[in-house]
Amino acid sequence: MTWTVLVDRTACLGCGVCLGYAPQTFAQDDSGQAVLQESPTDSLDQVQLAVQACPTGALRLVTAEPGADEKE
């Protein structure tokens, strides 16, 4: 399964909760808002916890099964 996280920068307050749950996936930019690390290494479980813990709902986990977008 592949996954990524979408960050709604208009909703992100920069509180850093996501960094506490998945520090190898999230960072903060110069304005303090959440951004994704270039090569995230946290487990999917850690990332899911970070997404769920976001107090503003600024994070959304998007998953896909390999080959799911291929046409038959």
Side-chain angles (χ1 to χ4, degrees):
M1 175 184 309
T2 59
W3 58 269
T4 191
V5 177
L6 302 178
V7 179
D8 180 348
R9 295 182 57 79
T10 60
C12 180
L13 296 176
C15 66
V17 169
C18 55
L19 279 75
Y21 285 97
Q24 302 304 313
T25 299
F26 298 99
Q28 288 179 309
D29 64 11
D30 292 339
S31 66
Q33 291 183 306
V35 293
L36 296 179
Q37 299 275 20
E38 194 166 311
S39 298
T41 57
D42 292 308
S43 71
L44 181 56
D45 288 339
Q46 286 174 277
V47 175
Q48 287 174 321
L49 287 172
V51 169
Q52 292 169 356
C54 179
T56 63
L59 305 175
R60 184 166 62 110
L61 181 65
V62 179
T63 60
E65 293 296 326
D69 59 348
E70 295 176 7
K71 294 182 180 180
E72 295 183 29

